[in-house]
Amino acid sequence: MKLTIFKTLFAFGVVLGLSHQALAQNAKATEPLPSWNDGAAKKSILDFVRRVTTKGGPDFVPVAERIATFDNDGTLWSEQPPISFQGAFIFDRVRALAPQHPEWKTKQPFKGVLENDMKAVGAAGEAGLIELALATHAGMTTDEFDRIVKDWLATARHPKFNRPYTDLIYQPMLELLAFLRANDFKTYIVSGGGIEFVRAYSEKYYGIPPEQVIGSSIVTKFEVRDDKPVLVREPKVDFVDDKEGKVIGINKFIGRRPIAAFGNSDGDFAMLQWVTSGTGARFGLLVHHTDAAREFAYDRTSIAGRLDRGLEEAPKRGWTVVDMAKDWNHVFAFETK
Amino acid sequence: MKLTIFKTLFAFGVVLGLSHQALAQNAKATEPLPSWNDGAAKKSILDFVRRVTTKGGPDFVPVAERIATFDNDGTLWSEQPPISFQGAFIFDRVRALAPQHPEWKTKQPFKGVLENDMKAVGAAGEAGLIELALATHAGMTTDEFDRIVKDWLATARHPKFNRPYTDLIYQPMLELLAFLRANDFKTYIVSGGGIEFVRAYSEKYYGIPPEQVIGSSIVTKFEVRDDKPVLVREPKVDFVDDKEGKVIGINKFIGRRPIAAFGNSDGDFAMLQWVTSGTGARFGLLVHHTDAAREFAYDRTSIAGRLDRGLEEAPKRGWTVVDMAKDWNHVFAFETK
């Protein structure tokens, strides 16, 4: 589809690392959602933001209460294949750490990862995945972990697109984040993924500071080394920020109910239900992955990002469903057509 | 001591409920800390803020990293007697709920509370206090609890001052919060007290929104009642935000190290140690309760707000110690002298 000049500039802005404040300025000054095609989805966003920002209007919301929460995997960037980019990070870490763990050669699910036997990894179930996650996410300080994630993101490549994973951030969602912030929303990520994994790149790529990232976490332990305190990551789950856990996480971290929520899977259902059942103007949106050509197509039976109940109930709940193939004229900033 | 006209206006501003933004404007435009006497403590604050906000200077800190964390009890408002204002709330709630719990008449530590037998309550130790806290803080939704705290704060009176507890907020610390915000700091509360207790009044009285309050918490459970989701407070400890827990809490909620920390007891030692051992300009401050006439005098042997190691090590760590009697010409806004 044809690119407007503004959209090109906007995409270049992201690529060239223009500040998110600058993007927000653009979002306010001109056409705010250039990668969104005209249609019901785009209109519902523009209408909602106009209503809650119209002073003296019946749906006006004070700035302090303009909180919007976004799922991450499948909502702000891709999540395939097969189980989120953090899954790819875990597999890469198992391979990198294997020389220090000769026992992994014969122990599932580590053996499966090392032999690229995804069937064996899958057979270990959720417990197996948690075992892999803890083995690769614990044992270092929080600062060290941040560095490991940043290094991985700088070098790893997505198997389908052969590009850095951060290239797989959705351009329309970056525009939406900037548009909301230009209208004095505070934008939060509420991810089932690891909080410190997302924080390692959220400020640079989404313009979302670490204190506005909520996610799953492992226990950390305070230690003093040479009179310098550090936090050491322990192999123990602290909090699972998924499904109902997203509501619990939002209440814990933010302490008030957002007025808008954005997701793409049934893991986001409780969050959207909670946000949109509050009083006053509310907004819920689900990204439906319908675009096998430009990204991926999946919904009711997918392992990652399963979207079934959400599709079923969105109409009666008044939630917007984004049809990626129809509603987005661009998915990624790197597309040139 | 003599009041300047500005200080009077400032105090009236707080009393009259002027917005904290307006106070911040004042803080920037004129003498920022009128309730602070000239001396080493005030000078250390002004120097630090000047250094980190001087563009091009060696200690300049970008706005996004200007995070300041404040303990609450004994740092932003009083905490005596005998175990924090939330302790008084717990005791009042036990009395209010007693008709529904006939078994409390014979069961410690509830019996002790109902008979005003503080020795019996004390004998139950920390486990007894947690039992009292859980019995009074759980069993309702988060919205209901917020209402209960607000109602209590609106009616309860401090035994010594016969005033609402919120009158016992320290005027010099309100000025400090406003001054930091006027210099683009994000101000956080990091309290050993209950997160949802503090959030019930922090925005109105401190200008600190709920998402910038970190504290101890109990488990909440997601439930759907008549298709409306609610969070129900469960009688189970989720997180204790005290001592090393404050560092863990800050890392969990904020995800980066603050550059300034303010406390008053050894419960804040780890937080100050962590904050001030980072690289670049750092600031640590302890409020020392030396003013039995205007407030309370306590330190090394106090039950609440024990300050021993902090006093010992402040000089070598470069932390500012505020001598309330000497450094503050006003403690509370209601003082007229």
Side-chain angles (χ1 to χ4, degrees), chain A residues 186 188 199 203 209-212 220 222 227-229 231 238 244 248 251-256 277 317, chain B residues 186 188 199 203 209-212 220 222 227 229 231 238 244 248 251-256 277 317:
Chain A
K186 229 178 194 174
Y188 279 81
R199 281 173 171 170
E203 189 158 37
E211 64 267 28
Q212 286 164 225
T220 61
F222 179 90
D227 200 44
K228 298 267 184 201
L231 290 174
D238 174 49
E244 291 83 359
I248 291 164
N251 181 65
K252 188 191 302 203
F253 281 73
I254 308 180
R256 65 177 137 209
S277 64
R317 295 184 181 274
Chain B
K186 229 177 194 175
Y188 279 81
R199 282 174 172 170
E203 188 158 38
E211 64 267 27
Q212 285 163 226
T220 61
F222 179 89
D227 200 43
L231 290 174
D238 173 50
E244 291 83 359
I248 291 165
N251 181 65
K252 188 191 303 203
F253 280 72
I254 307 180
R256 64 177 139 208
S277 64
R317 294 184 182 274

Side-chain angles (χ1 to χ4, degrees), chain B residues 130-291:
Chain B
I130 289 174
E131 205 183 339
L132 292 172
L134 293 177
T136 51
H137 284 60
M140 69 293 279
T141 68
T142 49
D143 288 345
E144 287 162 359
F145 183 73
D146 178 68
R147 174 49 46 206
I148 290 168
V149 176
K150 285 192 168 94
D151 287 348
W152 181 79
L153 285 170
T155 53
R157 301 226 141 204
H158 188 278
K160 173 172 170 177
F161 293 95
N162 192 29
R163 287 179 166 274
Y165 285 97
T166 44
D167 279 8
L168 282 303
I169 290 171
Y170 304 133
Q171 177 63 20
M173 296 307 280
L174 282 184
E175 294 165 8
L176 177 53
L177 287 170
F179 176 57
L180 289 172
R181 290 195 288 256
N183 284 281
D184 296 323
F185 276 75
K186 229 177 194 175
T187 52
Y188 279 81
I189 290 173
V190 180
S191 175
I195 189 167
E196 304 210 77
F197 182 86
V198 181
R199 282 174 172 170
Y201 75 97
S202 65
E203 188 158 38
K204 182 172 173 186
Y205 290 96
Y206 297 133
I208 294 181
E211 64 267 27
Q212 285 163 226
V213 175
I214 304 169
S216 298
S217 55
I218 61 176
V219 169
T220 61
K221 194 181 153 209
F222 179 89
E223 271 183 29
V224 178
R225 297 178 177 173
D226 299 329
D227 200 43
K228 297 268 185 201
V230 293
L231 290 174
V232 180
R233 294 168 58 82
E234 307 256 281
K236 195 180 159 200
V237 173
D238 173 50
F239 178 63
V240 178
D241 190 57
D242 198 23
K243 301 189 180 77
E244 291 83 359
K246 293 202 173 195
V247 177
I248 291 165
I250 290 170
N251 181 65
K252 188 191 303 203
F253 280 72
I254 307 180
R256 64 177 139 208
R257 203 188 296 223
I259 62 167
F262 304 82
N264 80 300
S265 81
D266 285 351
D268 305 312
F269 189 93
M271 173 169 77
L272 264 73
Q273 186 185 17
W274 190 58
V275 167
T276 60
S277 64
T279 52
R282 301 279 160 168
F283 191 76
L285 181 148
L286 289 168
V287 175
H288 187 194
H289 292 261
T290 53
D291 198 329

Side-chain angles (χ1 to χ4, degrees), chain A residues 9-23:
Chain A
L9 288 175
F10 193 98
F12 271 122
V14 172
V15 171
L16 296 174
L18 277 197
S19 79
H20 286 273
Q21 285 88 333
L23 292 177

